Amino acid sequence: MDIKAYIESGILELYVAGQLSEQENQDIYDLLHQHPELLQEVLEIESAVVKLTAAVSPHAIDFDSFKGKLGLTDTKVVDLKPKKPNWMSYTGWAASILLAGGLLWTLNQKTELELQLQTAETDKQYLETQIEDARTDLAATKNLLDVIRDKDIIAVPLGGQGDYATSFAKVYWNKADNTIYVDAEGLPNAPQGKVWQVWSLTLNPLTPTSLGTIDDFNTDDNKIFTIANANESQAFGITLEPEGGSESPTMDQLYTLGVIDATP
């Protein structure tokens, strides 16, 4: 169907004016359902009619001015019988309004459905991420349990020191791969500008060696940290140091200390 030619034919103007037969009205009504361009054209024609009607309203006409210009002093008023309402015109208008409302409702429903689908897809992706994270956490937990249950692992309890007697930690040392696992659940969150630092110690003479700082302590949930240790350690300690760590431990900030049991 040539939409442009159909619009230019003038039949839509006749439809709005109610000058078509009932069958023709029905045919155009069906076409409006099928072609949004035709509906838009009908709505624009109706808008133009409304504006034109307002522009030529009898209240806007100055009859006295016309009489003066024509040199008339009296004008006979002819009483015209009211024209019967054209129900076909009303039908066309009503059909257009109903169709426009129906299309708007359909568009709203489509938009709402698309939003629901997007939300469902986002929820699905979020759930998949949670499941994957849970699987990863479970695998990490199983691996950690396997490590600390190994018969060759060395477990070193670290007790609270001085003013920090309520603090505690535990180190699991796997000498086979030079790794320690520090369970620091018994330490508080590091204050602003401070960081926990782990030390390997030899006792005679007392020599501390830094194993590094635990920079993500406050954000880590399980408080278990994996740290490399290739030293011949005889003890482990944890101190609270300025951000970036210290070259030697601050002894009045020594929270926990534990000596490795040398008993065979």
Side-chain angles (χ1 to χ4, degrees), residues 74-80:
D74 191 16
T75 302
K76 183 178 181 181
V77 178
V78 179
D79 185 16
L80 297 178

Side-chain angles (χ1 to χ4, degrees), residues 143-254:
N143 179 68
L144 181 60
L145 288 174
D146 291 341
V147 168
I148 64 177
R149 288 171 178 170
D150 189 295
K151 64 182 180 64
D152 295 323
I153 203 79
I154 298 173
V156 185
L158 276 61
Q161 303 295 304
D163 294 336
Y164 316 111
T166 57
S167 299
F168 62 91
K170 198 166 189 177
V171 171
Y172 298 91
W173 185 14
N174 186 345
K175 299 185 71 172
D177 63 4
N178 293 326
T179 302
I180 64 171
Y181 300 86
V182 180
D183 181 357
E185 179 68 26
L187 294 176
N189 281 342
Q192 183 72 27
K194 298 288 186 176
V195 66
W196 293 112
Q197 188 164 353
V198 181
W199 303 88
S200 166
L201 306 170
T202 56
L203 301 178
N204 192 18
L206 180 61
T207 306
T209 301
S210 174
L211 298 181
T213 58
I214 307 176
D215 298 325
D216 59 343
F217 183 90
N218 291 1
T219 58
D220 189 278
D221 290 331
N222 59 25
K223 303 302 184 203
I224 298 178
F225 306 93
T226 304
I227 300 174
N229 177 38
N231 301 285
E232 289 298 327
S233 304
Q234 294 177 320
F236 294 102
I238 302 176
T239 60
L240 188 65
E241 304 290 345
E243 282 185 350
S246 300
E247 293 185 3
S248 59
T250 303
M251 296 310 295
D252 63 356
Q253 294 295 305
L254 177 65

Side-chain angles (χ1 to χ4, degrees), residues 1-260:
M1 179 181 181
D2 189 338
I3 299 297
K4 182 178 179 181
Y6 191 82
I7 291 174
E8 292 177 351
S9 69
I11 192 170
L12 296 180
E13 284 82 355
L14 295 175
Y15 172 75
V16 172
Q19 300 301 312
L20 301 178
S21 67
E22 183 176 351
Q23 182 57 49
E24 288 172 324
N25 274 332
Q26 182 61 46
D27 292 341
I28 293 179
Y29 179 77
D30 293 338
L31 288 174
L32 295 182
H33 275 285
Q34 302 170 20
H35 303 284
E37 307 99 303
L38 296 181
L39 172 61
Q40 182 61 35
E41 183 67 20
V42 166
L43 294 176
E44 290 178 0
I45 292 171
E46 291 176 348
S47 177
V49 170
V50 171
K51 291 179 181 178
L52 181 60
T53 301
V56 298
S57 169
H59 298 290
I61 301 175
D62 187 352
F63 287 103
D64 291 336
S65 176
F66 278 113
K67 289 164 61 178
K69 291 180 181 180
L70 295 175
L72 300 177
T73 58
D74 191 16
T75 302
K76 183 178 181 181
V77 178
V78 179
D79 185 16
L80 297 178
K81 294 182 178 180
K83 185 179 178 181
K84 293 183 179 180
N86 189 324
W87 295 107
M88 296 300 292
S89 176
Y90 294 155
T91 301
W93 280 63
S96 298
I97 294 172
L98 288 174
L99 179 58
L103 288 176
L104 287 174
W105 181 85
T106 301
L107 289 174
N108 287 336
Q109 290 295 104
K110 178 176 178 292
T111 301
E112 183 177 349
L113 180 59
E114 289 175 345
L115 289 175
Q116 289 177 349
L117 289 174
Q118 291 176 359
T119 301
E121 181 62 24
T122 301
D123 290 344
K124 175 175 174 289
Q125 293 175 357
Y126 177 68
L127 180 59
E128 288 176 349
T129 300
Q130 286 186 312
I131 292 174
E132 186 60 32
D133 289 345
R135 288 173 177 169
T136 301
D137 291 343
L138 182 61
T141 300
K142 184 178 183 302
N143 179 68
L144 181 60
L145 288 174
D146 291 341
V147 168
I148 64 177
R149 288 171 178 170
D150 189 295
K151 64 182 180 64
D152 295 323
I153 203 79
I154 298 173
V156 185
L158 276 61
Q161 303 295 304
D163 294 336
Y164 316 111
T166 57
S167 299
F168 62 91
K170 198 166 189 177
V171 171
Y172 298 91
W173 185 14
N174 186 345
K175 299 185 71 172
D177 63 4
N178 293 326
T179 302
I180 64 171
Y181 300 86
V182 180
D183 181 357
E185 179 68 26
L187 294 176
N189 281 342
Q192 183 72 27
K194 298 288 186 176
V195 66
W196 293 112
Q197 188 164 353
V198 181
W199 303 88
S200 166
L201 306 170
T202 56
L203 301 178
N204 192 18
L206 180 61
T207 306
T209 301
S210 174
L211 298 181
T213 58
I214 307 176
D215 298 325
D216 59 343
F217 183 90
N218 291 1
T219 58
D220 189 278
D221 290 331
N222 59 25
K223 303 302 184 203
I224 298 178
F225 306 93
T226 304
I227 300 174
N229 177 38
N231 301 285
E232 289 298 327
S233 304
Q234 294 177 320
F236 294 102
I238 302 176
T239 60
L240 188 65
E241 304 290 345
E243 282 185 350
S246 300
E247 293 185 3
S248 59
T250 303
M251 296 310 295
D252 63 356
Q253 294 295 305
L254 177 65
Y255 272 66
T256 62
L257 178 67
V259 177
I260 299 170

